[in-house]
Amino acid sequence: MAFFKRVKQPLIPKIKLSGVSKSFGSKNVLSGVDLEIFPGESVVIIGGSGTGKSVTLKCILGLLTPDAGRVEIDGVDLAAASTVQAETLRAQIGMLFQSGALFDSLNVWENVAFSLLQNQKMSRRQAREIALQKLAQVGLSAEAAEVYPADLSGGMKKRVGLARAIATNPNVIFFDEPTTGLDPIMSDVINDLIVSTVKTLGATALTITHDMSSARKIADRIAMLYQGKIIWTGTVKELDKTDNPYVRQFVAGSAEGPIQMDLKA
Amino acid sequence: MRFQFINMMGRVLLHFFQATGALGIFGAKTLYHCFVPPFYGKAFLRQLIEIGFYSLPVVALTTLFAGMVIALQTYTGFAQISAEGAVSLVVLIAVTRELAPVMAGLMVAGRIGAAMAAELGTMRVTEQIDALVTLSTNPFKYLIAPRVLAGVLMMPVLVFIGDILGVCGGYLIGVYKLEFNATTYLMNTWEYLKPMDIVSGLTKAAVFGFIITLMGCYNGFYSKGGAQGVGRATTNAVVSASILILIFNYILTELFFNV
Ligand SMILES: Nc1ncnc2c1ncn2[C@@H]1O[C@H](COP(=O)(O)OP(=O)(O)OP(=O)(O)O)[C@@H](O)[C@H]1O
Ligand SMILES: [Mg+2]
């Protein structure tokens, strides 16, 4: 073995999508998505409503199986991995669902501490402590911790979902519209939280958002999804200088341009 | 015309096989996860209480009245051939072999099967099941195995209690309405009591418990399409469980008593 000197390896992407396609019945949602996300990087996906951003995340997580193409996490194809391997991969992933997806049979802190209680077999006391700390980070008090999800406002649900996603200090985090439904100040608190989470944990983050100010703040790189493909990627600086008409229209938020909303009944 | 008919029949058959296959795989997966750790004790305990304890009143009432009505009808029938003495025996056999398991099965299918389908269905459409997976918890282990295990264990307990209450119902009618001698009635019941009657009833109960929870979980787990889909899942769970209970009741009776 000594004959082989270790050559400096090229950086392996943490997450790699190649040619991922997904249709529902006759409806083609993704048609060949290619995307690489490197360790410690924060990537934001932007794109119109209904273009398949959430579907992309679910394909990466293995909640949906792509019709074609590969999804690799740490170089491992999740679809081909054994159950045990898939579970260990997933254990290092945190996910905030667009709808929150809180367990309504458990109260707020039990939701946040779910993984700590069920998988890490932590004592309830210790788990509650961590949950309260994570809740505080998203601006929720200890009072809210005992409430059941059904009695929360939309924005509060989102923040609980966020606290649950980061509770285990995962090293890959997916955020599906973390600031939708929050007031501007809370949005900025959440942006800061995402940035600091990525920095302090050294985590890799993939965020979906429509909120351009949020995207500018948290993104190292931005990718735009349009008609089932990633049509543009670049840094925030490049975003302002690009002459890609689709991106420019999206960023400007203008109804005039190449992207036509299908408004016919 | 004829081809259309064959075509349609083929499609129905294919659909049937596909559904049975999917259910079979679901059942096999469930069984596997019932016996392979990790186990979720608290979830299991909650289901034990939900299925066993809270179903008690419904099961008790239905079996009590079933025992009563059997005593009454047997008397009116058997008095014509002067065989009133058979009332206690008929009550005993009818209740332990058939009535208690089937009544309890149908009642629990309505209560528990529906509740499971609705709960899991709602969890499915609100992405809670997806969330479980991302929290590296296997939904089969956390949601389904505890329910099915609790159903298989608690149904025999419920039916055993139902057996006792059904026989009590027969006794009440026999002694207070038909004016049999209390001691003789009890002696008769005791004398005719055969372990096989009880055992067959309890075995049926365990099978019905499996059917009820499996249909509830299966329909809920794969429900889609929002509130309407959850409603459909709930109906399907109860209807399919009830039909299967009656079919398997017949099959098990054939197997046990081999008439
Ligand atoms: N389970 C499913 N079954 C059928 N169609 C689906 C399913 N999930 C998503 N779709 C369809 O896929 C398309 C993309 O959905 P997706 O949720 O990914 O949109 P999105 O980009 O996240 O939009 P938004 O910004 O509004 O959240 C939609 O047209 C949707 O109808
Ligand atoms: Mg979405």
Side-chain angles (χ1 to χ4, degrees):
Chain A
M1 282 299 130
F3 300 121
F4 301 101
K5 277 262 176 69
R6 226 178 149 71
V7 189
K8 192 170 181 280
Q9 296 225 326
L11 201 51
I12 304 174
K14 189 81 189 166
I15 300 166
K16 181 176 177 192
L17 283 79
S18 32
V20 172
S21 302
K22 180 77 191 171
S23 321
F24 294 103
S26 60
K27 190 179 167 70
N28 220 338
V29 178
L30 301 179
S31 38
V33 171
D34 297 304
L35 186 64
E36 289 186 346
I37 302 168
F38 293 96
E41 193 183 26
S42 169
V43 171
V44 166
I45 297 182
I46 57 174
S49 184
T51 48
K53 303 184 296 299
S54 299
V55 169
T56 307
L57 274 198
K58 286 182 185 163
C59 284
I60 300 176
L61 282 162
L63 297 173
L64 291 173
T65 325
D67 302 332
R70 272 169 76 87
V71 176
E72 286 170 26
I73 298 178
D74 281 336
V76 179
D77 187 352
L78 204 55
S82 68
T83 329
V84 180
Q85 209 174 11
E87 267 173 24
T88 39
L89 275 180
R90 283 212 188 92
Q92 46 160 334
I93 299 177
M95 163 85 183
L96 163 67
F97 283 82
Q98 187 169 1
S99 60
L102 302 177
F103 303 124
D104 38 31
S105 59
L106 303 174
N107 69 23
V108 164
W109 82 259
E110 287 168 331
N111 260 286
V112 174
F114 187 87
S115 212
L116 305 175
L117 288 169
Q118 302 296 347
N119 300 326
Q120 303 188 8
K121 305 288 175 210
M122 202 177 267
S123 73
R124 279 180 74 78
R125 201 177 204 180
Q126 204 181 352
R128 187 165 187 277
E129 203 115 299
I130 295 176
L132 289 182
Q133 189 190 324
K134 298 289 176 189
L135 284 168
Q137 285 184 10
V138 295
L140 290 169
S141 65
E143 265 166 61
E146 307 294 336
V147 176
Y148 281 83
D151 301 332
L152 294 177
S153 78
M156 285 164 95
K157 279 183 194 157
K158 189 130 264 183
R159 285 185 278 156
V160 176
L162 193 62
R164 184 175 70 182
I166 59 173
T168 52
N169 298 334
N171 63 38
V172 181
I173 319 180
F174 298 124
F175 301 106
D176 198 343
E177 307 200 5
T179 56
T180 311
L182 302 182
D183 63 80
I185 302 171
M186 191 45 77
S187 294
D188 207 48
V189 171
I190 298 300
N191 289 337
D192 286 339
L193 176 68
I194 292 175
V195 172
S196 73
T197 310
V198 174
K199 291 277 174 313
T200 55
L201 296 177
T204 310
L206 178 57
T207 310
I208 290 173
T209 190
H210 295 155
D211 175 353
M212 288 314 295
S213 64
S214 170
R216 282 172 206 281
K217 192 150 185 180
I218 60 186
D220 295 327
R221 209 146 54 86
I222 294 178
M224 176 150 172
L225 187 65
Y226 180 67
Q227 290 191 338
K229 285 199 172 71
I230 300 287
I231 55 159
W232 184 87
T233 55
T235 61
V236 176
K237 268 189 201 144
E238 288 164 348
L239 183 74
D240 293 320
K241 279 187 250 153
T242 180
D243 46 15
N244 183 315
Y246 296 94
V247 179
R248 287 178 63 148
Q249 185 194 351
F250 194 85
V251 172
S254 150
E256 304 289 316
I259 306 177
Q260 287 301 322
M261 294 285 160
D262 216 358
L263 295 180
K264 282 177 297 189
Chain B
M1 209 36 221
R2 188 181 298 151
F3 280 121
Q4 237 169 15
F5 178 73
I6 293 172
N7 204 330
M8 197 192 74
M9 286 306 286
R11 208 164 324 138
V12 169
L13 261 178
L14 272 182
H15 190 83
F16 174 77
F17 284 131
Q18 192 191 357
T20 334
L23 183 63
I25 291 171
F26 187 85
K29 255 173 138 177
T30 303
L31 283 178
Y32 172 81
H33 287 291
C34 281
F35 298 106
V36 177
F39 304 114
Y40 294 96
K42 255 184 90 179
F44 177 56
L45 204 67
R46 224 188 83 195
Q47 294 304 323
L48 281 184
I49 295 170
E50 192 61 44
I51 298 174
F53 187 70
Y54 290 115
S55 302
L56 212 46
V58 215
V59 171
L61 273 177
T62 44
T63 47
L64 181 72
F65 277 96
M68 285 163 65
V69 86
I70 281 293
L72 211 53
Q73 286 288 24
T74 318
Y75 181 78
T76 54
F78 281 27
Q80 293 171 25
I81 53 167
S82 313
E84 305 93 312
V87 169
S88 60
L89 170 67
V90 173
V91 167
L92 184 70
I93 288 186
V95 166
T96 54
R97 288 188 185 180
E98 303 291 335
L99 283 176
V102 172
M103 286 285 183
L106 295 179
M107 286 297 134
V108 174
R111 259 200 92 242
I112 298 298
M116 281 180 182
E119 189 179 353
L120 294 195
T122 308
M123 290 187 77
R124 166 63 72 198
V125 300
T126 56
E127 298 183 318
Q128 291 179 50
I129 293 183
D130 287 343
L132 262 187
V133 175
T134 66
L135 293 166
S136 39
T137 303
N138 189 322
F140 273 88
K141 286 203 166 73
Y142 184 72
L143 295 174
I144 295 167
R147 284 172 165 75
V148 173
L149 268 183
V152 172
L153 287 180
M154 284 326 274
M155 271 300 285
V157 176
L158 284 170
V159 167
F160 189 70
I161 296 171
D163 283 348
I164 295 171
L165 281 163
V167 171
C168 281
Y171 171 84
L172 288 179
I173 292 299
V175 171
Y176 292 102
K177 189 167 167 69
L178 307 176
E179 295 175 348
F180 289 129
N181 180 294
T183 334
T184 328
Y185 190 97
L186 282 181
M187 290 288 284
N188 272 345
T189 305
W190 185 248
E191 202 176 311
Y192 290 126
L193 186 66
K194 281 208 290 293
M196 188 56 184
D197 295 338
I198 308 282
V199 169
S200 70
L202 298 189
T203 311
K204 283 180 176 179
V207 173
F208 298 167
F210 183 73
I211 291 175
I212 293 165
T213 48
L214 192 75
M215 295 319 285
C217 290
Y218 175 77
N219 283 289
F221 197 76
Y222 291 116
S223 72
K224 45 175 163 262
Q228 210 177 14
V230 175
R232 204 161 29 214
T234 311
T235 312
N236 285 346
V238 176
V239 172
S240 57
S242 304
I243 294 173
L244 284 176
I245 283 176
L246 292 175
I247 294 175
F248 272 86
N249 183 50
Y250 181 81
I251 297 175
L252 287 171
T253 301
E254 281 267 13
L255 285 180
F256 272 114
F257 300 103
N258 217 331
V259 264

